[in-house]
Amino acid sequence: MSQEKNLEYLYDSHETNDSHNILLPAVDKIVKEFSPATVFDLGCGNGSVAKHLSDRCVVTGIDPSTSAVAMANKAYPDIRIESGSAYDDLRARYGTFDMVLSLEVVEHLYDPRAAKNVYELLNSGGTAVISTPYHGYIKNLALAVTGRMDAHFWALWDGGHIKFWSFRTLEILLKEAGLEVSRFERVGRIPVLAKSMIVIAKKP
């Protein structure tokens, strides 16, 4: 019988990292567009994005990494950041929000249909903003031709990516959860080789 090992995504700083710095300009524009009063940061990591947004809205965050939550609580004691999982009954614990933000999380989930929790966390008419590494035909072809498939899908990354999403598969996931996809945006590099994609979806 195999024994499951709980792996934490480790942070060495409470500040934003290179991935955040690619995503945040687009996130800032989306937040400005929808002007949410309340935001739930699902998979908030070290709390740096929650802090970044906290001057514009009330932010609540959770993360399964106890070390990340401890770091966030020490650096940003004025923001509610707690240990929690995308699989938990989050609405019962936290209520509902104008926006749910989840950056570079869904690729780590064994059961991505926990996306139903995003629907449950949103107020009627609320907005989900979800990012994940981008995969499309041309990017995948470029990885194969340049011999970078093994490095990109690195199997030896403890706690690394276990799901790889396209526009189509991510839209199917969110539609199953009851959300209406408004649009996709690509960030980082040129669009066909984008580092990540952001989907904006609404709760009817």
Side-chain angles (χ1 to χ4, degrees), residues 5-11 63-65 104-110 154-164:
K5 181 181 180 182
N6 293 321
L7 297 170
E8 291 200 354
Y9 192 101
L10 299 177
Y11 291 82
D63 199 273
S65 170
E104 310 296 282
V105 172
V106 69
E107 67 271 16
H108 294 274
L109 299 181
Y110 286 103
W154 190 243
L156 300 178
W157 177 12
D158 290 343
H161 300 170
I162 57 175
K163 301 283 186 178
F164 303 94

Side-chain angles (χ1 to χ4, degrees), residues 91 96-98 100 116-128 174 177-182 200-204:
R91 178 171 180 157
T96 57
F97 297 80
D98 297 328
V100 174
K116 186 66 175 176
N117 267 335
V118 174
Y119 177 91
E120 296 295 340
L121 280 164
L122 284 171
N123 294 324
S124 180
T127 307
L174 297 180
L179 297 166
E180 297 176 352
V181 172
S182 300
I200 297 98
K202 301 287 288 184
K203 180 175 180 177

